[in-house]
Structure formats: structure tokens, C-alpha cells
Amino acid sequence: MLFTDRSDAGERLAAALRPLEAARPVVLGLPRGGVPVAFPVARALGAPLDVIVVRKLGVPSHRELGFGAIGEGGVRVISEDIVRTGRLTPEDVAAVERAEEAELTRRARAFRGDRPRVALDGRTVIVVDDGIATGATAAAACQVVRAQGAARVVLAVPVAPPDAVAWLRTAADEVVCLSSPPAFRAVGEWYRDFAQTSDEEVVSLLARAAAGPAAGQAPPAAAVEVDAGGLPLAGDLALPEGARAVVMFAHGSGSSRRSPRNRAVAAELHRAGLGTLLFDLLTPAEETDRANVFDIGALAGRLVDATAWLRRRTPLPVGYFGASTGAAAALWAAADVAADVGAVVSRGGRPDLAGPRLAAVRAPTLLVVGGEDTTVLDLNRRAQRELRCENRLEVVPGATHLFEEPGALEAVARLAGDWFTRYLAP
């Protein structure tokens, strides 16, 4: 299993951890790389997110050999066997602890600021990392979390070697690992993008999670009249305070403004600090003629004109979210240099209808299709082969064309939010 990046790994891990949602868990990310994986997990489960800062206590003469670990709140886990075989004196142990305690305090404050640590007493705690090499740090984290009062400890990682997974089952009550390849050499081999996570990214993700679901909530959408090359089209424009980008919804049947599915996705984008413009590409009279629904060139032209109208109102970066034939229109428009669109997401769309224009698309493109929508899935796979931009095809297991199954639309919304956040508002 190959992951696109840590966000992608987190989305897939969240799906595997869904059964734990009812336990109302706490999600802890190991810094630094574990936090970007833990963020989508916490959001999917509606769980609080925090960082678990652990410092391994190494034998002075052999630093790689740990005789214990310390965590926040004065928690210490010591292996008396290693202390004894390493012939460590109480003074040796105390000296190592003092040095590591100072670094632990510094890092915890750097990541969390003045926010208090999330209490773990009696809770189910999910410890998340971006992968396991030796497993020493993950094992120490599980021990520290248990010592901090957790009732149940679950270790969740995208990838790890089989022997490490087997050993870690002794440190955690449960280990959830998506991929455990026998030919394991390094965690980074299983990611297309394994760029180093910065302290700033960790701080930002923790702050977003701490702000809660109300952060980035959009004000009531304002009814607007979108000027599409002289043709007025009804729309709803919502811009959260401090919005970093705006996403235009394109739907070929003209139902974009009223679609409950699109409104559900828009609400998720608002929580991510993104604005939305939901509008009808066709007038009510036009949408009664099915030929108009499949006139991709005309729909795309209106979308480009509407984009120009939106840019006169706000300087924010623009992305497109398209469904059905609207996805083809979004990609066709994205190929037009006048649109200058930053990212595209297709939900159950027909990107194949954009034809030769696909090769000209430069905006990063995400195609989301239901696993049971087999005909459309095949068409998306064909279209993906024509794309020359950065792209990804995400299949939502068990979902049909309208994503009406429990959790299916939520998965689409999370995928879209992460994609637009990454490429429009990094």
C-alpha cells in the first residue's frame, strides 16, 4: 500500500478506526510526523486531538538503548532490568532524567503553547504515528499514555514491519496497522511525499483542532447574482471571517445551489476556513433540456465567466468542486488559462467528458468515486490516464453514485477539505 502523503494516510487510517468512534476516544499524535496523520483521524472520529511528547531515557554509554521514558505530568516508565544490566547508579538515572525533562518541557510548550494537556483519565486513547521503524518510541508512548490514566490504548499507524507490529501488541491493547510489508526498509518508501513535518505545521494543526468545529464557520450565505458573460445566474456566496480561499461548486443539472450533498460538503469547507460559491450553471428553463446538461463547452465557458465575476469581488485563490457533468465543466474550465484555478475536486463526476482538454489541466485534481459506482469508476480511471497535472483517484468503499450510504458523503467532504486546504491555502 502506497500513501500519497501523511494526510492521505490519515484519511485511510480514520476509516479503519471508525468502530472506535462510539468510545469517544482521545487522539494523540507523535511529533512531528504523526500529527498530520492524527489530524484527519481526530476530525473523522469527532475526537479531541493533542500531541504526545515522550522522551526516551538512554543508557549514557549506549544512547540507543533505552532504560525508560518520561512524559508530561511527571510520568516515568523505568525498566529495572536494563538499569541493572547497564549498571546504572541512581545518580546516572537522575542525571539523564533531568536533561530529558528540560527538553520534554520545551517541546511540549512549543507545540501546545498555553493550552492545557488533554486529560486521559479513564479514556480510550489512540496513539498515532506516520509509521514504525523500530517501534521503540511508539512503545514508550503507549507506556506513558497508560501511566497518564488511559483505560485503553490503541496504537494506529499506516505502515510498519511485521516484527515491530507483533512486538507492539505487548505495549498497546490494540494495534491498527494498514500495511505491514515483509520487505520493509524505511517508512518513507511507502509515501509518495514524505517531506519533513515542520514544528510550525504541528502547531497549526493542533491550534485548528483545539478551535473546534465552530472555527471557520461561515456566516449565513448571501444570495448573489453571478454575472456569467452577461447572463445572470442565482447563487449563494459564503465567506468565513479570515477565509483563505473560495471554492466554486459546478453542477451540470443546475442543482448546485439547492443540492443537500453540495451544501454538506460546503459546510465542511467552511470549518476548514474556506469560502464557497454555490450557483446554478443553467437557468431553470435551460435545465429542462437534457442536451444543455451535456454541453460541457458551454457550461465551462459560463464557469470561466463566473470565475472572473468572483475575482472582482475577492482576491482569494479559487478552486472548483464539480459533480456529475459539472466535474467535466470544472476540468474544461480549469484548462483555460483565464480561469487561473488552484485546485479541482470531482465528486462522482464525468471527467471523461472533458475529452482532450484534460491534458491541458494544470490544477491539482482529486477524483472521488464510490466503490459501487463501477461504470463511473471505470470512466474516471480512463480520464485519470489523460491528466498531466498532479492528481489522485480516491475510491470510497461501499458508496454508490450519490454517496447516500452512512459515512460516504462525510468521507467525500473530508477528502475535499484536505485537498483544497493543501493546494489553495497551504
Side-chain angles (χ1 to χ4, degrees):
M1 182 180 291
L2 186 64
F3 303 99
T4 302
D5 52 21
R6 291 180 178 88
S7 179
D8 172 44
E11 292 288 351
R12 300 195 202 188
L13 200 55
L17 293 167
R18 278 287 186 187
L20 292 174
E21 185 176 6
R24 302 179 64 83
V26 173
V27 177
L28 302 180
L30 276 160
R32 292 186 295 264
V35 176
V37 181
F39 182 79
V41 170
R43 187 169 58 183
L45 301 183
L49 173 67
D50 202 355
V51 66
I52 171 70
V53 184
V54 175
R55 299 298 297 176
K56 187 174 70 173
L57 304 177
V59 175
S61 60
H62 185 28
R63 292 289 183 185
E64 290 303 309
L65 177 61
F67 66 83
I70 57 171
E72 295 176 84
V75 168
R76 62 197 296 268
V77 180
I78 304 294
S79 170
E80 297 298 343
D81 288 343
I82 297 179
V83 168
R84 191 164 45 252
T85 57
R87 297 182 180 180
L88 300 180
T89 66
E91 292 75 20
D92 293 331
V93 172
V96 174
E97 281 194 51
R98 280 195 302 271
E100 295 298 342
E101 177 68 37
E103 180 61 14
L104 182 142
T105 302
R106 185 196 69 79
R107 297 190 75 187
R109 183 170 182 80
F111 291 136
R112 196 183 292 116
D114 294 328
R115 291 190 303 275
R117 178 167 57 87
V118 175
L120 307 182
D121 295 328
R123 303 290 295 271
T124 293
V125 178
I126 304 174
V127 178
V128 179
D129 204 357
D130 56 6
I132 297 294
T134 66
T137 301
C142 292
Q143 292 172 327
V144 166
V145 165
R146 200 181 301 280
Q148 288 173 338
R152 179 174 174 79
V153 180
V154 179
L155 177 63
V157 295
V159 61
D163 56 344
V165 172
W167 173 58
L168 287 167
R169 295 191 195 282
T170 65
D173 296 300
E174 181 180 356
V175 176
V176 176
C177 180
L178 301 182
S179 178
S180 185
F184 185 97
R185 289 180 297 186
V187 173
E189 289 184 336
W190 304 96
Y191 285 83
R192 289 192 181 95
D193 178 1
F194 198 62
Q196 184 174 4
T197 302
S198 67
D199 285 356
E200 291 76 15
E201 182 178 358
V202 172
V203 171
S204 174
L205 291 173
L206 292 174
R208 283 175 59 189
Q217 186 67 44
V224 295
E225 190 173 86
V226 179
D227 179 4
L231 177 69
L233 298 173
D236 294 323
L237 178 63
L239 292 176
E241 184 176 353
R244 298 172 293 161
V246 60
V247 176
M248 302 177 70
F249 282 63
H251 200 289
S253 68
S255 64
S256 174
R257 186 164 55 95
R258 300 182 296 271
S259 165
R261 286 176 289 277
N262 283 343
R263 289 189 176 277
V265 174
E268 176 67 16
L269 299 186
H270 298 159
R271 286 188 283 271
L274 303 172
T276 58
L277 172 61
L278 281 75
F279 72 109
D280 302 325
L281 283 173
L282 296 173
T283 66
E286 288 173 331
E287 64 179 317
T288 59
D289 184 350
R290 292 294 294 173
N292 292 326
V293 175
F294 287 87
D295 190 347
I296 307 304
L299 295 175
R302 289 185 180 182
L303 184 54
V304 171
D305 290 336
T307 305
W309 171 87
L310 180 62
R311 291 192 187 283
R312 292 193 293 271
R313 297 178 67 100
T314 176
L316 294 174
V318 173
Y320 290 158
F321 183 94
S324 191
T325 57
L331 287 164
W332 187 302
D336 191 322
V337 293
D340 190 26
V341 63
V344 178
V345 174
S346 163
R347 170 183 65 82
R350 290 290 307 276
D352 56 295
L353 295 177
R357 300 295 293 258
L358 289 171
V361 176
R362 295 291 173 264
T365 298
L366 173 67
L367 309 175
V368 186
V369 187
E372 298 301 314
D373 194 8
T374 53
T375 300
V376 172
L377 178 56
D378 183 59
L379 294 171
N380 273 256
R381 284 173 173 149
R382 294 182 196 176
Q384 186 184 27
R385 290 194 288 267
E386 301 298 319
L387 290 170
R388 298 293 177 265
C389 58
E390 182 173 353
N391 64 84
R392 191 167 94 213
L393 173 63
E394 280 285 352
V395 179
V396 179
T400 51
H401 185 61
L402 295 180
F403 297 91
E404 296 173 305
E405 295 71 22
L409 189 61
E410 290 81 355
V412 174
R414 289 192 298 271
L415 289 166
D418 287 345
W419 193 262
F420 285 128
T421 299
R422 177 179 180 184
Y423 291 105
L424 296 181

